[in-house]
């Protein structure tokens, strides 16, 4: 198992209502139109993840897990790797329910996305609280 963690923070404009994605970003400010954004001012984009994690993500057999922790709340998303993942975006990390891949995609076929975050957690994120983002790569090799 490979694990990497970093800090981000909530923002008053976080709405977390998107139906197919969830995203963290290094941007410090966002509008309410960014319905998939769950944390801003992140210390890392996909480009910053360790090389061994990038390699592991290229296998469909790799299970990828993203966990958000803030205050007393925790939210976990599980998905899969994909051979087309490149992890080239320096700014964003996007979780997708679909199989669509681009330089911003962390995982595909995710079991949860932004709209699945409980309302209690969304309220905490609006307070600009510190968020710990932990990404795990579970490889069956």
């Amino acid at each position: 198992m490979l694990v990497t963690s970093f800090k981000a923070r909530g923002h008053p404009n976080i709405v977390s209502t998107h139906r197919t994605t969830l995203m963290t970003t290094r941007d410090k400010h966002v509008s309410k139109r960014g319905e998939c954004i769950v944390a801003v001012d992140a210390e890392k984009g996909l480009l910053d993840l360790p090389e061994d994690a990038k390699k592991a993500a290229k296998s469909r057999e790799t299970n990828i897990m993203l966990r958000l922790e803030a205050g007393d709340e925790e939210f976990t998303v599980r998905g899969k790797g994909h051979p087309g993942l490149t992890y080239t975006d320096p700014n964003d990390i996007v979780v997708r329910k679909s199989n669509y891949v681009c330089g911003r995609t962390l995982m595909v076929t995710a079991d949860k996305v932004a709209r699945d975050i409980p309302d209690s957690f969304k309220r905490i994120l609006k307070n600009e609280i510190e968020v710990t983002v932990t990404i795990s790569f579970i490889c069956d090799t």
Side-chain angles (χ1 to χ4, degrees):
M1 179 182 329
L2 308 166
V3 179
T4 185
S5 292
F6 58 92
K7 301 294 183 188
R9 67 178 175 82
H11 189 278
N13 288 335
I14 288 176
V15 293
S16 299
T17 56
H18 204 273
R19 299 170 133 198
T20 61
T21 62
L22 174 151
M23 182 174 98
T24 65
T25 183
R26 293 183 85 143
D27 293 345
K28 295 184 185 306
H29 303 286
V30 293
S31 73
K32 289 186 178 183
R33 291 186 332 175
E35 298 173 346
C36 65
I37 299 169
V38 299
V40 302
D41 199 17
E43 293 175 333
K44 294 182 181 183
L46 277 178
L47 184 65
D48 303 309
L49 296 186
E51 290 303 317
D52 52 351
K54 293 176 187 179
K55 182 178 176 186
K58 288 190 169 290
S59 170
R60 292 183 198 273
E61 302 304 312
T62 299
N63 293 300
I64 302 172
M65 184 172 67
L66 180 137
R67 185 174 59 242
L68 303 170
E69 298 172 89
D72 293 334
E73 298 278 341
E74 180 179 304
F75 181 75
T76 302
V77 179
R78 290 173 177 81
K80 297 296 251 175
H82 187 282
L85 293 174
T86 61
Y87 286 21
T88 56
D89 196 278
N91 200 54
D92 301 332
I93 296 176
V94 180
V95 168
R96 300 185 189 278
K97 271 196 169 180
S98 71
N99 277 304
Y100 178 78
V101 295
C102 71
R104 298 172 21 162
T105 306
L106 169 69
M107 69 175 85
V108 297
T109 64
D111 65 345
K112 296 178 197 139
V113 289
R115 75 170 181 182
D116 299 315
I117 294 176
D119 289 340
S120 59
F121 199 1
K122 290 179 189 180
R123 283 191 293 276
I124 287 174
L125 293 174
K126 287 183 173 290
N127 292 324
E128 301 184 62
I129 191 168
E130 183 177 270
V131 178
T132 300
V133 181
T134 303
I135 303 171
S136 304
F137 299 82
I138 301 101
C139 313
D140 294 330
T141 54

